[in-house]
Amino acid sequence: MESRSSSDLPLRRPSVSTHSSNDTSGVIGQQDGLTTSGPARRMSRMHRRLSSVIAPGMGPRYSLGPGAFRSHAMALAMLREKHAMKDMKKDNTYKMEPDQDQKFQVHKVQKVIEEVLEHHCEDERYESSSAGMLTRTLTDIIKARVKDLHFERHKIVVHVVVGAAMSQGFEMASRSLWNPAFDNYASATFSNNSIFAVATVYGIYFE
């Protein structure tokens, strides 16, 4: 058996071919030590650095093509524009009260509540397993319908209670801290032989 130490092995240097032509459009930059040209090698290193850039909210890019820089620049520009819009502040209007035609109108809101409760609860039977879903559904529908009335600069709060109708007494009360000149509420109830529902909508004016 013959053994050779590492010092006996001939040293080989990686061969690097050079091109006298300045046209590097057909040369693909690769890792150091492989056949490439000077400008292409610099471009390859730039592509590798760009491929490691990860913009917030984006995954890593593995493409090393010529469009890598352009794609990252576009992504970063979109992110900057998104954050700029989020941080945009509107000037105060200094309006301390709503316009006359934009005040919270109780009779319109009450009509909406009555229509929604009657339509969605008329044939409903009380089931404890589905009462929570029914409550959320009524809340979302009433809130969407009231927002369609376009009470500008009003915070809309909807509260719905659903229970089993068993000939029992039921009382509900609420207390709020608001401006009685502009803030108001509307309420309506519905009941059949199996279920009852009470819905209240609060309209609070805010700047």
Side-chain angles (χ1 to χ4, degrees):
M1 180 180 295
E2 181 180 0
S3 63
R4 302 179 72 181
S5 64
S6 61
S7 61
D8 297 330
L9 296 175
L11 299 177
R12 300 180 64 184
R13 299 179 59 185
S15 60
V16 178
S17 62
T18 59
H19 299 269
S20 58
S21 175
N22 292 329
D23 185 11
T24 60
S25 59
V27 180
I28 301 177
Q30 299 180 358
Q31 295 181 357
D32 297 340
L34 300 181
T35 303
T36 181
S37 65
R41 180 181 298 179
R42 290 193 297 271
M43 184 66 70
S44 174
R45 291 176 179 173
M46 183 184 71
H47 286 168
R48 288 200 300 273
R49 289 196 297 269
L50 290 174
S51 66
S52 63
V53 176
I54 303 177
M58 298 175 56
R61 280 186 64 92
Y62 298 100
S63 173
L64 301 180
F69 178 79
R70 182 167 58 252
S71 299
H72 282 290
M74 292 175 62
L76 292 174
M78 292 175 62
L79 287 172
R80 292 193 188 99
E81 183 178 357
K82 181 179 179 180
H83 289 299
M85 293 178 62
K86 184 182 296 185
D87 297 336
M88 185 182 301
K89 296 183 179 180
K90 297 182 179 179
D91 294 335
N92 293 328
T93 60
Y94 301 102
K95 293 184 63 174
M96 303 305 296
E97 60 183 51
D99 297 333
Q100 188 64 30
D101 59 341
Q102 295 297 328
K103 288 185 177 181
F104 187 84
Q105 301 181 32
V106 177
H107 65 282
K108 290 186 177 181
V109 178
Q110 185 170 357
K111 183 178 180 180
V112 168
I113 301 173
E114 292 173 350
E115 291 176 354
V116 172
L117 293 181
E118 184 175 358
H119 179 73
H120 291 275
C121 300
E122 183 176 7
D123 300 324
E124 194 73 27
R125 306 294 296 178
Y126 180 80
E127 295 290 343
S128 58
S129 58
S130 60
M133 179 62 68
L134 176 61
T135 304
R136 289 191 292 271
T137 302
L138 293 174
T139 302
D140 293 339
I141 295 175
I142 293 174
K143 186 174 183 179
R145 291 279 303 275
V146 173
K147 283 190 172 182
D148 288 340
L149 298 177
H150 301 292
F151 298 125
E152 300 294 337
R153 300 180 180 275
H154 280 80
K155 180 76 70 176
I156 304 299
V157 180
V158 181
H159 182 255
V160 176
V161 176
V162 172
M166 302 175 64
S167 301
Q168 79 277 30
F170 181 80
E171 294 183 0
M172 188 177 72
S174 63
R175 178 180 296 179
S176 304
L177 180 63
W178 62 18
N179 186 343
F182 312 126
D183 305 331
N184 214 329
Y185 77 96
S187 182
T189 61
F190 174 87
S191 64
N192 56 22
N193 295 331
S194 178
I195 193 172
F196 74 87
V198 180
T200 306
V201 177
Y202 303 90
I204 298 95
Y205 179 78
F206 73 105
E207 165 56 32

